[in-house]
Amino acid sequence: MYNKFFWRFFRSLAILIVIILLVFITPIKNSSLIVAGKNLLIRIVYPFQYVVYKSLTKCSDFAKNIITLRNAQKENERLRNELLMQRAITNSFIGLAEENVRLKKLLNFKNKSSFKYNLIAAEVIARSPSFWFNNVIIDKGENDGIKKNMAVINEDGLVGKVTEVYPNSSKVLLLIAEESSISVIISRTKEIGVVVGNGPNLPKLKYIFSTSNVVNGDFVETSGISEYFPKSIPVGKIKILPKKELELFYNIEIIPSVDFNSLRNVFVIK
Amino acid sequence: MITKQIKYLVLFLFLLIFQTVILSRVIIFGYSFELLISFLALVTFIEGYENSFWLSLIIGITIDVLTNQIFAFTILLSTLSIVLGFIREKLFSKNDIVLYIFVFAFDFLVYFLVGSIFALKEQISIFEVTKTSFIFSIINLAFIPYLTTLIEKVVKSEVSKQLSF
């Protein structure tokens, strides 16, 4: 009986070892088979997620329609989406306006800024099944003009970046994800740093020297250095933590301007 | 046996949709519920490590695809499924207390091991990783009665089918 038991145990272990060896020895990660497998899995799972999400939102919208007039509800939704889009565009101008005033004062320089966003509206359908990896699925994909590495924002600021694109959906890596790393600038002092995600904890702002005069509450926005994120998109506010005496850099957390717990409507910058 | 596997697959798909679409929006002090790991732990506990091994591969591959990590969760979940399932079968009996401790330990190890990799990369403190893993594992225990009920329905339906034959 014990022989049979240990035989079953070592058989399972052997299968596992083969898988581990396949992963580390062969260049399997980016093979076309794996990519095809991923696409197939997403194509299987996404329709169910879409149906459940739309059913839930339809049910909640139906309850609202009972109380309010049907036409008023539609008009309200249309105006709300338009307003959210305009707020997203307007927020980006705040940083530019400050820079414009500063340059005019110092150099009597005319700022020619052709700042245009072409936005694609999308809804967040589902989130990652593991909290250590903060990404979401949106309901727009390749067929809607979405491409990899496009920036994603909402009316409050930067949400993240498109990392994978499928025909009718896309995966967005959130700002708060552990793998996320974004070049930013402090609006007041113009110092450049990098915001890295920190999972359930607040994102961290790195590489701000301890000799800097940054204070709590300073606004942080995208620097425009990265090819993926346009300039002056709000990222968040600074929260300085106590640091050790001889540390070179401040220990700073960022309070994101976006509420990642209630993401629903986002815009992809084309 | 095959129909039971299909039922577990259907249950897994239901839990995946439920978690990613609905439960992910329920955030309590920055923490959300995660059913898939607890589901795998329960199946390993009830069915044994050998019968849950294939499910651990499927759940691992699915999480890897949805989080863009190839084979990380597949290897981790299948290894833990074998090791913890083996330890449970050899050392402990099946009762409610052992069930809760087993699921807690399974969840904690998964979160802690994954979190430790990030702790090394991003210089996050191990204390934060331990605290986060502990809280997540405690929160997920709330769903054990419901998940256990669902799994036992699958087990009982197979048993009654076999008896009717």
Side-chain angles (χ1 to χ4, degrees):
Chain A
M1 189 180 91
Y2 276 108
N3 282 342
K4 195 178 172 190
F5 185 83
F6 278 105
W7 159 243
R8 290 195 337 241
F9 173 73
F10 283 114
R11 188 178 61 183
S12 303
L13 213 55
I15 296 171
L16 186 60
I17 289 169
V18 165
I19 294 172
I20 293 171
L21 285 173
L22 267 175
V23 168
F24 288 107
I25 292 176
T26 60
I28 200 171
K29 190 170 178 175
N30 293 319
S31 71
S32 54
L33 184 64
I34 294 294
V35 171
K38 275 172 68 172
N39 286 338
L40 179 64
L41 191 61
I42 294 289
R43 281 178 199 232
I44 292 170
V45 171
Y46 174 73
F48 292 101
Q49 290 174 323
Y50 185 83
V51 165
V52 170
Y53 173 78
K54 285 296 180 187
S55 306
L56 279 175
T57 48
K58 286 291 177 206
C59 286
S60 66
D61 288 346
F62 177 73
K64 286 177 200 168
N65 279 340
I66 290 170
I67 304 166
T68 61
L69 291 169
R70 193 181 182 88
N71 289 336
Q73 176 66 22
K74 279 185 185 172
E75 182 68 9
N76 190 24
E77 195 63 36
R78 188 188 69 78
L79 289 170
R80 184 176 161 272
N81 283 337
E82 206 175 308
L83 181 63
L84 291 175
M85 205 181 290
Q86 292 303 323
R87 267 180 72 185
I89 295 171
T90 306
N91 272 339
S92 65
F93 281 105
I94 294 171
L96 283 178
E98 284 178 6
E99 186 184 16
N100 195 6
V101 168
R102 186 176 66 83
L103 286 173
K104 276 185 177 176
K105 274 183 188 171
L106 289 174
L107 300 168
N108 197 24
F109 182 76
K110 278 187 184 176
N111 188 5
K112 289 180 187 178
S113 176
S114 56
F115 202 69
K116 290 176 189 168
Y117 280 148
N118 194 359
L119 301 179
I120 303 171
E123 278 187 272
V124 174
I125 299 294
R127 295 187 79 122
S128 161
S130 171
F131 93 100
W132 284 117
F133 302 92
N134 281 294
N135 52 52
V136 297
I137 303 285
I138 59 174
D139 65 344
K140 295 287 192 296
E142 201 175 349
N143 294 341
D144 306 288
I146 304 288
K147 289 193 172 73
K148 198 175 166 183
N149 294 324
M150 281 182 172
V152 180
I153 63 173
N154 71 356
E155 70 278 13
D156 293 322
L158 183 69
V159 170
K161 180 177 83 167
V162 175
T163 52
E164 287 181 23
V165 183
Y166 308 103
N168 297 307
S169 62
S170 306
K171 194 186 287 182
V172 175
L173 182 73
L174 299 179
L175 166 72
I176 55 173
E178 302 279 351
E179 306 154 294
S180 170
S181 177
I182 294 165
S183 170
V184 297
I185 189 168
I186 301 173
S187 303
R188 186 177 61 86
T189 65
K190 303 302 167 194
E191 283 161 292
I192 291 181
V194 176
V195 167
V196 294
N198 197 10
N201 305 310
L202 290 177
K204 289 201 179 288
L205 174 58
K206 289 183 160 184
Y207 313 124
I208 302 296
F209 285 105
S210 53
T211 51
S212 160
N213 64 348
V214 67
V215 298
N216 277 322
D218 273 344
F219 283 99
V220 169
E221 57 195 24
T222 52
S223 63
I225 291 174
S226 159
E227 61 181 297
Y228 304 129
F229 298 104
K231 200 176 169 183
S232 303
I233 301 174
V235 172
K237 278 197 302 194
I238 280 177
K239 179 182 163 190
I240 301 175
L241 300 176
K243 70 171 180 73
K244 291 175 190 162
E245 207 175 296
L246 297 173
E247 272 186 354
L248 192 58
F249 301 112
Y250 269 117
N251 186 8
I252 298 176
E253 282 182 342
I254 295 292
I255 303 169
S257 50
V258 169
D259 181 4
F260 288 98
N261 292 338
S262 58
L263 270 182
R264 185 172 164 180
N265 294 297
V266 296
F267 304 101
V268 182
I269 299 175
K270 212 172 172 183
Chain B
M1 181 62 184
I2 292 175
T3 51
K4 192 200 270 192
Q5 289 171 344
I6 292 172
K7 284 178 186 173
Y8 276 132
L9 267 178
V10 171
L11 194 52
F12 158 66
L13 193 60
F14 165 73
L15 290 173
L16 175 70
I17 304 301
F18 182 65
Q19 183 181 311
T20 55
V21 178
I22 299 169
L23 221 53
S24 60
R25 294 170 197 274
V26 178
I27 312 280
I28 305 168
F29 299 113
Y31 298 94
S32 59
F33 297 98
E34 291 194 12
L35 297 184
L36 296 179
I37 312 288
S38 302
F39 170 64
L40 176 62
L42 278 169
V43 173
T44 305
F45 185 89
I46 292 170
E47 295 280 359
Y49 71 90
E50 200 194 354
N51 292 333
S52 68
F53 179 62
W54 66 272
L55 188 63
S56 68
L57 290 176
I58 291 174
I59 293 179
I61 288 170
T62 306
I63 296 178
D64 280 333
V65 167
L66 293 176
T67 58
N68 210 28
Q69 307 296 315
I70 298 299
F71 295 116
F73 277 95
T74 311
I75 294 169
L76 179 64
L77 292 182
S78 45
T79 307
L80 280 177
S81 175
I82 291 175
V83 170
L84 292 182
F86 180 76
I87 292 172
R88 206 285 302 161
E89 280 182 37
K90 286 307 245 180
L91 296 178
F92 302 101
S93 57
K94 276 187 185 180
N95 61 56
D96 284 344
I97 295 172
V98 173
L99 174 81
Y100 277 84
I101 294 171
F102 182 86
V103 174
F104 174 83
F106 198 105
D107 286 0
F108 181 83
L109 280 171
V110 171
Y111 297 130
F112 183 78
L113 289 170
V114 174
S116 299
I117 295 169
F118 284 111
L120 291 169
K121 273 169 55 178
E122 297 295 334
Q123 298 175 347
I124 301 165
S125 76
I126 280 291
F127 170 73
E128 278 297 323
V129 171
T130 310
K131 183 189 85 172
T132 306
S133 306
F134 182 82
I135 293 171
F136 260 104
S137 307
I138 291 286
I139 287 173
N140 288 341
L141 292 179
F143 276 90
I144 286 181
Y146 308 103
L147 290 175
T148 312
T149 308
L150 287 170
I151 293 168
E152 280 175 358
K153 277 190 178 166
V154 171
V155 172
K156 277 181 190 161
S157 67
E158 282 303 303
V159 167
S160 60
K161 213 182 260 182
Q162 283 166 10
L163 285 175
S164 67
F165 281 125

